[in-house]
Amino acid sequence: MSGSLYSYDPFKGEVVTRKNLILPMVTPGFRPLAIIVQLTRNAMLDVLGGIISVPLKQRD
């Protein structure tokens, strides 16, 4: 059976297939990582927006 957590080994019996554990272990981390990236991006834009807009206002 393809995609099963266990595979059958004639000598060991049912064995956990590690390659089928990678995606379920990585997937739950995507949403928290996306939130951290979004917060970092917004904070960076706030800081850089303040730095860039100050010289533009002083030119007038």
Side-chain angles (χ1 to χ4, degrees):
M1 176 186 287
S2 177
S4 176
L5 180 60
Y6 298 100
S7 61
Y8 182 74
D9 186 4
F11 300 107
K12 297 179 183 177
E14 288 187 348
V15 180
V16 176
T17 308
R18 291 185 182 157
K19 69 176 183 176
N20 292 336
L21 290 175
I22 295 172
L23 185 61
M25 288 170 45
V26 171
T27 302
F30 282 137
R31 183 62 183 160
L33 181 63
I35 293 170
I36 292 170
V37 168
Q38 187 176 17
L39 290 172
T40 304
R41 177 186 176 270
N42 289 336
M44 183 185 70
L45 289 176
D46 285 343
V47 169
L48 291 177
I51 293 172
I52 293 172
S53 63
V54 169
L56 294 176
K57 289 179 183 176
Q58 291 176 353
R59 289 183 187 177
D60 292 310

